[in-house]
Amino acid sequence: MARRKKIYEGKAKILYEGPEPGTIVQYFKDDATAFNAEKRDVIEGKGVLNNRLSEYFMSGLNDIGVPTHFIKRINMREQLVRSVEIIPLEVVVRNTAAGSISKRLGIAEGTALPRPIVEFYYKDDALGDPMVSEEHIIAFGWASQQDMDDMVALALRVNDFLSGIMMGVGIKLVDFKIEIGRIWEGDFMRLVVADEISPDCCRLWDAKTGQKLDKDVFRRDLGNLADAYTEVARRLGVLPENNVPRGKPTLIN
Ligand code: 5GP
């Protein structure tokens, strides 16, 4: 049997060549990194949870006509996705001030924003993913004016969908990051949501208590990250049996 070809290994995922042309297998690792990989750890079960949660969000988006790269989940850690040409931008949508906007503009964390704010960051680890404007994006050819309009529309639709789902289970969607890719069909190109949607790239606060249920738990040493993600999955009914494999199997005599 031939060994499958690894295409790319990132901080949280590995991409392998898929079984058919134009497909990719996305493998979710347990590795957690923050602050441009200056802080790192292995959180057992995180990859399994993010695979399930990303499947849940991406297939929900597909169902309401928001195009994504997601095809199907293959197993506990892998999903089959369409191969896309990733636009080198992180698209962030914010509903509530937190994280970098609070730092940059001095807005207290938790302040509701007057409307969802869409921001773009240039994906470059060596530069620390700097924030960029539409002017930079178009001038440097990372995306066209039409792409910009489509990306904003896509990001806001994802925001509406995710905010609604989260509010339904008592979670406030503070902000999130998505990545967007191009898919070519003959001479036509369309933009689709790619990469992953999971608590690794969102800020999720319990609507009543404000408890953090996202990667800030790891970034700010607030407790057990897998427990926080399991709580999100449990509320969404993504893991009804709640059986995330954690730790080593126990030998029963
Ligand atoms: P901030 O700009 O406040 O650091 O992040 C805004 C939102 O985007 C947060 O939900 C954060 O998790 C997400 N985000 C920003 N940059 C990255 C990144 O490089 N990786 C991941 N996984 N999420 C990011």
Side-chain angles (χ1 to χ4, degrees):
M1 208 158 57
R3 199 183 168 82
R4 63 182 173 177
K5 189 171 158 205
K6 190 195 273 192
I7 297 172
Y8 174 79
E9 177 155 4
K11 286 174 265 188
K13 295 186 293 298
I14 305 173
L15 303 182
Y16 296 98
E17 211 167 65
E20 327 235 325
T23 64
I24 281 182
V25 173
Q26 195 165 250
Y27 176 97
F28 287 76
K29 301 195 283 187
D30 281 343
D31 302 39
T33 62
F35 313 119
N36 211 357
E38 273 170 35
K39 178 177 170 125
R40 51 174 72 228
D41 202 351
V42 174
I43 313 286
E44 273 184 80
K46 181 176 89 82
V48 174
L49 285 156
N50 281 351
N51 186 27
R52 286 275 187 159
L53 285 163
S54 202
E55 171 196 22
Y56 180 78
F57 298 127
M58 293 278 187
S59 54
L61 286 167
N62 284 342
D63 288 348
I64 59 159
V66 178
T68 80
H69 72 160
F70 181 80
I71 302 172
K72 66 172 183 179
R73 186 171 59 81
I74 302 170
N75 58 40
M76 296 284 274
R77 285 188 183 272
E78 295 178 328
Q79 48 183 245
L80 186 68
V81 299
R82 292 186 69 177
S83 168
V84 305
E85 188 187 305
I86 284 281
I87 294 178
L89 297 169
E90 296 189 339
V91 184
V92 169
V93 182
R94 301 179 189 275
N95 299 304
T96 300
S100 69
I101 196 174
S102 292
K103 233 185 195 167
R104 198 176 334 108
L105 303 181
I107 307 172
E109 287 214 329
T111 307
L113 297 170
R115 57 171 219 190
I117 293 177
V118 183
E119 299 172 344
F120 296 90
Y121 294 82
Y122 180 51
K123 264 168 68 73
D124 186 317
D125 283 344
L127 298 175
D129 299 340
M131 191 177 185
V132 287
S133 72
E134 190 170 306
E135 284 285 300
H136 298 117
I137 295 168
I138 294 172
F140 297 128
W142 299 322
S144 67
Q145 181 66 61
Q146 181 65 55
D147 292 336
M148 290 299 299
D149 296 346
D150 293 347
M151 284 194 291
V152 169
L154 210 48
L156 291 176
R157 288 184 75 191
V158 173
N159 187 42
D160 285 346
F161 171 78
L162 285 183
S163 304
I165 286 200
M166 290 301 180
M167 202 34 82
V169 294
I171 293 174
K172 177 152 84 169
L173 178 67
V174 171
D175 58 31
F176 66 90
K177 180 266 302 184
I178 53 170
E179 295 188 20
I180 293 176
R182 302 176 201 279
I183 287 184
W184 292 90
E185 278 147 6
D187 286 345
F188 294 93
M189 183 277 291
R190 63 190 181 121
L191 299 182
V192 303
V193 180
D195 190 50
E196 69 176 283
I197 301 179
S198 73
D200 264 8
C201 27
C202 302
R203 283 200 174 88
L204 305 170
W205 295 354
D206 181 274
K208 279 211 189 92
T209 65
Q211 186 195 352
K212 293 179 173 45
L213 298 169
D214 57 62
K215 201 164 141 189
D216 275 351
V217 171
F218 170 71
R219 292 187 188 104
R220 303 179 188 188
D221 293 319
L222 299 176
N224 184 307
L225 191 70
D227 286 350
Y229 288 19
T230 301
E231 176 61 14
V232 175
R234 189 192 63 75
R235 289 196 199 185
L236 293 168
V238 173
L239 291 175
E241 69 283 22
N242 221 6
N243 65 346
V244 183
R246 302 267 300 278
K248 309 255 176 313
T250 312
L251 187 64
I252 299 170
N253 291 310

